[in-house]
Amino acid sequence: SAVISQKPSRDICQRGTSLTIQCQVDSQVTMMFWYRQQPGQSLTLIATANQGSEATYESGFVIDKFPISRPNLTFSTLTVSNMSPEDSSIYLCSTRSGTGGTEAFFGQGTRLTVV
Amino acid sequence: KQEVTQIPAALSVPEGENLVLNCSFTDSAIYNLQWFRQDPGKGLTSLLLIQSSQREQTSGRLNASLDKSSGRSTLYIAASQPGDSATYLCAVRQGYNNNDMRFGAGTRLTVKP
């Protein structure tokens, strides 16, 4: 299994500002994933982050809005830039572990409110 | 495109009752299916993982089954407790080289004392 420490757990931010979310994994992992969960909705994949390469973004998400860093095999950050109230969501990081990297594990989530 | 549906969206039961949560998916060619628990405003906790070659998995009071051919999975919770109150999500992964997981919208479970 993999244990992911995610912080902050929640924040209230002013529109137009940026917030950086951090995730630390207790073991080295190849890929990390960032998801968004809008109020009352299910999870949507934002991007996949591999160490040493640019993150791969899903349709509807762009690097200028959600820059991601992956400096080593245990750490990643997601920045939500130039925030608006529509960015209010839970943001989650995830990785895969177990035999063949089959099982998904998640951080505790960051509950972001933009006012 | 894979679509995952969970029914019901919400469920309220008295403590001690056995219950079943349902998950259906449109494309039966899946790699695995995973059930998660999510407490309000929190992250996801992995409950059970079923590989495509498996029919069921058990952990304590939880039992998950998988019927790929019909595109269905169920999560059975025995002797429910108030501490089981949470949202339960199922997610399918299409292939080993496919990074994306498709999530259902979840079933919000309330177990009343």
Side-chain angles (χ1 to χ4, degrees):
Chain A
S1 67
V3 177
I4 306 176
S5 298
Q6 181 174 344
K7 58 181 181 181
S9 58
R10 58 171 57 204
D11 207 340
I12 301 174
C13 300
Q14 297 290 323
R15 71 172 65 205
T17 63
S18 298
L19 175 72
T20 295
I21 302 166
Q22 301 180 3
C23 278
Q24 179 78 48
V25 189
D26 69 342
S27 59
Q28 293 184 337
V29 294
T30 304
M31 291 185 289
M32 293 183 72
F33 307 89
W34 288 95
Y35 288 85
R36 180 176 73 182
Q37 186 179 30
Q38 294 177 300
Q41 305 292 317
S42 192
L43 279 72
T44 301
L45 181 65
I46 297 172
T48 301
N50 290 331
Q51 191 267 335
S53 64
E54 292 282 334
T56 302
Y57 289 82
E58 298 297 308
S59 176
F61 298 98
V62 295
I63 187 171
D64 289 346
K65 176 67 175 177
F66 298 102
I68 288 171
S69 77
R70 185 80 204 276
N72 57 54
L73 290 173
T74 64
F75 188 78
S76 181
T77 68
L78 170 77
T79 299
V80 186
S81 303
N82 188 24
M83 289 184 285
S84 66
E86 292 71 35
D87 294 319
S88 298
S89 297
I90 298 173
Y91 292 86
L92 302 112
C93 60
S94 173
T95 191
R96 308 275 165 79
S97 186
T99 303
T102 56
E103 189 169 359
F105 296 92
F106 284 80
Q108 302 95 322
T110 296
R111 189 171 198 171
L112 171 62
T113 302
V114 184
V115 297
Chain B
K1 178 183 171 182
Q2 178 75 271
E3 292 187 4
V4 181
T5 304
Q6 290 187 247
I7 295 174
L11 180 65
S12 181
V13 300
E15 180 177 5
E17 193 161 296
N18 302 325
L19 59 101
V20 174
L21 307 180
N22 296 294
C23 173
S24 62
F25 45 94
T26 54
D27 184 349
S28 62
I30 64 170
Y31 180 67
N32 63 31
L33 183 145
Q34 199 166 350
W35 282 93
F36 296 90
R37 167 186 172 136
Q38 184 177 31
D39 292 296
K42 302 294 186 181
L44 276 62
T45 299
S46 178
L47 297 174
L48 289 164
L49 170 71
I50 309 178
Q51 302 289 1
S52 62
S53 59
Q54 298 173 324
R55 297 282 293 185
E56 66 176 351
Q57 285 287 329
T58 298
S59 176
R61 294 183 293 110
L62 305 179
N63 176 278
S65 68
L66 174 64
D67 183 344
K68 269 201 332 177
S69 60
S70 66
R72 292 180 185 175
S73 176
T74 62
L75 179 67
Y76 174 83
I77 303 177
S80 58
Q81 303 169 358
D84 294 330
S85 298
T87 296
Y88 291 81
L89 297 161
C90 69
V92 299
R93 184 174 164 191
Q94 219 59 36
Y96 178 77
N97 291 320
N98 189 327
N99 295 325
D100 197 7
M101 297 177 71
R102 297 286 172 173
F103 287 81
T107 293
R108 188 173 71 253
L109 173 66
T110 303
V111 181
K112 297 176 288 187

